[in-house]
Amino acid sequence: MVTARTILSTLLILLAFAVPARAVEPGDLTLTVTPDLPNGTQPYAREMVLLRLRGVYRTQVLLEEVRQPALVNFSWTQLGRDHWGRTRMPDGQMALEFERTIAVFPQHTGTFTIDPFIHRLTINDNGERKQIDVRSEPIPFPVAAWTGPSGGPDAAEPWWLPARDVAITDSWDPDPETLNLGDTARRIVTLEAQGMLAEGLPPRPVMRTRGIITFAGPVKRETIITPSGPVARATYQWDIKKGVSEVIPLDAIKIPWFDTLTRTLREAEIPARQIGGGLADREEDLKATGPASWPALAAATLAAFGLGLALIGFRTGPGRLRLDRGQARRLRLAAASGDAAAVRAILARAVQAQPELTALWQAEPDLARDLAALDRRVFGPAATAERQLDLPDLARRLSRPRRPRPAAALAPEPRLAPLDGPVAQA
């Protein structure tokens, strides 16, 4: 079986033939270690710094082994495999070039020293096989103390999160707005931080508010190695049960972090959501009920007969009008993503399917105003486009059921503008 070490040894032997065998002279074997400091400044504790190892060897290398110092007071991880190639020296001669990148994370504030790395080489020294150690220079490594007004590596709160970038994804199954009393949904939040190890990510956030019962699931952590540095990922999970019948607002959760590129404090956010109140239809009202007793049936019959006598000569009106479940769900999703054009397209289909419902929308002054603002945002010039329209709130209001009004109470021809833009006036 061919191993990676065998392949590397073979490669080195092949490269060795490209370098003439001669006596090793001072300066022929050099190993340097260079810290890639953030914008040339001193790092803070737990901030990633890349150590770039580079060896230049003007001789034949038969075997090699890197001996790394203990790296006390640092966490570390190697980024990918070593790279071997050829480089041209200032005098025009060719030499072997070795490269390795290591990400280190100082654990404390203070001044430390990274001890020399040792590259043990077996070389061909003028036809003689010889083993030699090439050492790098020790590196002073100062770690700055935090001087900000709050937070920092040594503060208990908030969690210190130094990263190049932070991203959060939030998913629910089912949608929290569809929950009724006693229903349960699973929420999964994924936090990714570039330039960190998974062990540096914060613990699971506390998700608590009145009216819900929360069951916290396990936390999954993983570190993904990339050429530019590790990416830390944590997945948090909760099962959330609705304990009251009314709508429950779930506040956003702020996660502060330190941007190591701009050297500034920033915030990521687990978005706010609403539990219940999204779809007007209530599934519990559609469930079949148990058989009633004979006395109850008799009482109901007498009551219905009396009510029928009282209503002779009168007609009951039609039921409530509302968007169907599929349209309402698509409308909420489009609004949550901020896609005004998709919201407008869904409403255009609603105009064709339910003109009576869209007439009721236009009869409400506030709703008609916001629908007009939506048209200006989608079809108007960029300079006059609406910027402050709350699409999720508009979707919630459009999803509510409405009682039909007498035809005379509705404005004539209440329609949304055509999908391809407002009709030009002659």
Side-chain angles (χ1 to χ4, degrees):
M1 180 177 179
V2 179
T3 64
R5 187 174 181 84
T6 303
I7 295 174
L8 178 59
S9 299
T10 304
L11 175 61
L12 290 175
I13 292 171
L14 291 176
L15 289 172
F17 287 108
V19 181
R22 62 180 183 82
V24 176
E25 299 177 0
D28 284 348
L29 307 176
T30 61
L31 177 64
T32 57
V33 178
T34 306
D36 190 357
L37 297 175
N39 296 329
T41 61
Q42 294 181 9
Y44 294 113
R46 302 201 292 277
E47 180 179 350
M48 181 184 75
V49 175
L50 299 182
L51 295 182
R52 303 191 184 276
L53 282 67
R54 181 173 184 263
V56 177
Y57 308 130
R58 188 150 53 176
T59 187
Q60 292 181 356
V61 177
L62 306 178
L63 295 173
E64 60 88 33
E65 178 188 6
V66 176
R67 297 198 170 185
Q68 183 172 298
L71 292 178
V72 179
N73 298 312
F74 293 87
S75 298
W76 65 275
T77 185
Q78 181 174 334
L79 304 183
R81 298 178 178 179
D82 297 340
H83 176 264
W84 285 87
R86 300 179 66 191
T87 184
R88 187 174 297 278
M89 303 295 290
D91 61 4
Q93 297 295 319
M94 299 303 295
L96 292 175
E97 182 180 49
F98 160 82
E99 292 179 321
R100 173 184 289 188
T101 303
I102 298 174
V104 297
F105 304 83
Q107 297 301 297
H108 312 285
T109 300
T111 300
F112 308 103
T113 299
I114 295 181
D115 292 332
F117 284 75
I118 299 174
H119 205 173
R120 177 159 291 179
L121 305 177
T122 301
I123 66 173
N124 184 351
D125 185 14
N126 199 24
E128 179 184 354
R129 187 182 181 96
K130 181 183 297 184
Q131 188 176 85
I132 188 169
D133 288 344
V134 185
R135 302 168 63 91
S136 66
E137 295 294 329
I139 303 172
F141 200 104
V143 180
W146 177 254
T147 57
S150 61
D154 300 323
E157 293 290 341
W159 186 269
W160 175 244
L161 185 62
R164 293 183 172 183
D165 193 18
V166 171
I168 290 177
T169 57
D170 181 30
S171 65
W172 291 75
D173 184 23
D175 191 302
E177 294 187 9
T178 66
L179 296 185
N180 295 312
L181 176 63
D183 290 347
T184 300
R186 174 162 292 181
R187 185 180 201 180
I188 298 177
V189 172
T190 302
L191 171 66
E192 283 192 356
Q194 296 183 17
M196 285 198 67
L197 301 177
E199 63 195 42
L201 293 177
R204 178 180 47 238
V206 176
M207 190 172 301
R208 186 183 300 122
T209 191
R210 185 194 65 82
I212 63 172
I213 303 172
T214 304
F215 306 93
V219 178
K220 179 182 178 182
R221 298 173 183 269
E222 56 183 327
T223 300
I224 304 165
I225 302 300
T226 72
S228 59
V231 177
R233 178 184 296 163
T235 303
Y236 311 110
Q237 176 179 303
W238 301 266
D239 287 332
I240 298 174
K241 183 175 182 179
K242 192 170 187 286
V244 295
S245 57
E246 59 262 26
V247 175
I248 303 169
L250 194 60
D251 293 337
I253 299 176
K254 305 286 187 181
I255 299 181
W257 62 285
F258 177 71
D259 189 330
T260 59
L261 297 179
T262 63
R263 318 303 291 171
T264 56
L265 287 171
R266 300 177 61 184
E267 281 188 343
E269 181 179 283
I270 301 176
R273 294 302 302 265
Q274 173 182 302
I275 300 178
L279 290 178
D281 46 326
R282 301 159 61 95
E283 294 183 3
E284 64 268 19
D285 293 341
L286 303 178
K287 295 178 181 177
T289 58
S293 63
W294 282 109
L297 289 174
T301 302
L302 289 174
F305 179 72
L307 182 61
L309 292 177
L311 295 178
I312 290 176
F314 295 90
R315 297 175 60 191
T316 58
R320 293 190 174 193
L321 298 176
R322 67 171 184 267
L323 291 172
D324 64 49
R325 177 179 298 187
Q327 281 182 322
R329 179 176 178 81
R330 289 191 294 272
L331 183 65
R332 288 197 314 277
L333 292 175
S337 65
D339 192 342
V343 170
R344 184 60 179 78
I346 294 168
L347 295 182
R349 290 191 288 270
V351 170
Q352 299 175 352
Q354 301 186 69
E356 298 85 1
L357 177 59
T358 55
L360 293 174
W361 293 342
Q362 292 289 351
E364 299 179 25
D366 291 345
L367 197 53
R369 180 199 62 212
D370 288 345
L371 289 173
L374 176 64
D375 280 350
R376 291 193 298 272
R377 178 167 174 174
V378 175
F379 301 114
T384 60
E386 299 291 330
R387 301 298 182 190
Q388 303 302 320
L389 182 61
D390 188 342
L391 290 177
D393 177 68
L394 178 61
R396 281 192 292 271
R397 288 185 287 147
L398 291 171
S399 299
R400 295 171 186 161
R402 287 168 172 77
R403 291 186 180 278
R405 298 184 183 182
L410 298 177
E413 299 282 13
R415 297 177 180 270
L416 293 172
L419 183 58
D420 56 353
V423 177
Q425 299 297 323

